[in-house]
Amino acid sequence: MASWSEKEAKAVEALLAGLPAWGDRSTDASAPLPVGSKTTTGVLPESGLRYYWRPNAEPRDRVELVVAVRAGSIDEEDEERGLAHVLEHLAFRARADDAGGRWSALRELEAHGVQFGSHQNAYTSFEETVYWLHVPADFFSRAVELLAALVGEAGAATDADVDAERKIVLEEWRQGKDWGQRATEHHWRHAFSSSRLAERLPIGTLDVVRTATAETIKGFYDRSYAPGALAVVAVG
């Protein structure tokens, strides 16, 4: 009798075989995904940062801005489990400029109708961390600068910043321990058993989150947030 993992592998093969062909591209996992003809993409030669731009008329006079970081919980060492998520939280404490205080980037965005939660937010997954803004088109240029501040200053947090944000992350952990979340975590650990993913849920471990310092977080940031690991996306 075939094992569960063998059945799963066959199901994935059948799914891939049923996908429509992408022109002359195969479903080889190493092949790059195709880019739509309306999307402009490139790489900045001086930094290696990749960008994507796609015009879109709806909703009118709005732009979606994203910075995607090719780093998530899978990239954490044992002593860093949970730091990718903590780092995502710390980003929103960024200053709008050298004269601004903590949270000033977020507050300036809110002053232009870019409300935290619905129009500015972020998430951390196994393989990526994504920051996004939904902004008025006439605020686009400044929004790019503020989004750069959020991502660029995330690794410059102080121990006081970490202590303050730690309480929020721990409360997220506590609220996430209902039966649904526990079942989900059990499912992922079972599905990813014998792989690194099983021990790298984005919420991390309490021991790491409770003892994290600005120094350890900066170490993860410097290693994971290099320009070549970032992509900027603009749609609107």
Side-chain angles (χ1 to χ4, degrees):
M1 179 179 292
S3 68
W4 180 86
S5 59
E6 289 172 334
K7 291 179 180 178
E8 182 183 46
K10 288 183 178 180
V12 171
E13 289 176 3
L15 174 64
L16 291 175
L19 291 175
W22 289 329
D24 58 352
R25 297 178 185 270
S26 71
T27 53
D28 179 359
S30 63
L33 291 172
V35 176
S37 60
K38 294 181 179 180
T39 301
T40 300
T41 183
V43 179
L44 299 181
E46 63 273 19
S47 65
L49 184 144
R50 184 172 292 276
Y51 63 87
Y52 299 84
W53 172 65
R54 184 181 178 91
N56 188 58
E58 295 294 337
R60 292 182 61 186
D61 302 324
R62 304 293 292 187
V63 178
E64 193 87 4
L65 280 173
V66 172
V67 170
V69 185
R70 195 171 59 241
S73 58
I74 193 66
D75 300 288
E76 298 165 344
E77 301 297 337
D78 286 345
E79 67 277 10
E80 296 175 330
R81 284 180 288 178
L83 294 194
H85 180 222
V86 174
L87 186 56
E88 171 221 312
H89 275 250
L90 288 167
F92 289 94
R93 303 178 72 87
R95 298 170 298 171
D97 49 49
D98 291 340
R102 285 297 184 213
W103 304 103
S104 58
L106 182 151
R107 300 305 180 212
E108 184 175 342
L109 287 164
E110 289 190 322
H112 286 80
V114 186
Q115 294 302 310
F116 183 72
S118 56
H119 299 134
Q120 54 170 309
N121 216 323
Y123 69 83
T124 303
S125 68
F126 290 104
E127 298 178 323
E128 64 184 8
T129 306
V130 176
Y131 304 86
W132 59 268
L133 305 176
H134 187 67
V135 303
D138 60 3
F139 188 58
F140 172 77
S141 296
R142 181 55 177 161
V144 170
E145 295 175 347
L146 293 173
L147 183 56
L150 295 180
V151 178
E153 280 207 6
T158 65
D159 283 324
D161 292 325
V162 175
D163 286 341
E165 210 61 38
R166 186 193 332 270
K167 299 173 184 176
I168 299 172
V169 175
L170 290 173
E171 180 61 17
E172 278 190 5
W173 182 91
R174 187 191 68 79
Q175 291 182 1
K177 286 304 175 183
D178 59 13
W179 70 268
Q181 183 61 27
R182 293 197 303 272
T184 298
E185 290 181 5
H186 179 77
H187 164 77
W188 287 125
R189 289 194 172 98
H190 175 74
F192 297 139
S193 61
S194 302
S195 79
R196 184 180 176 88
L197 288 170
E199 301 302 325
R200 289 297 184 274
L201 295 178
I203 196 64
T205 67
L206 285 179
D207 286 344
V208 170
V209 174
R210 284 171 174 161
T211 59
T213 65
E215 182 179 2
T216 57
I217 291 171
K218 186 177 187 303
F220 179 80
Y221 177 89
D222 289 344
R223 189 177 77 244
S224 304
Y225 277 59
L230 274 60
V232 177
V233 182
V235 179

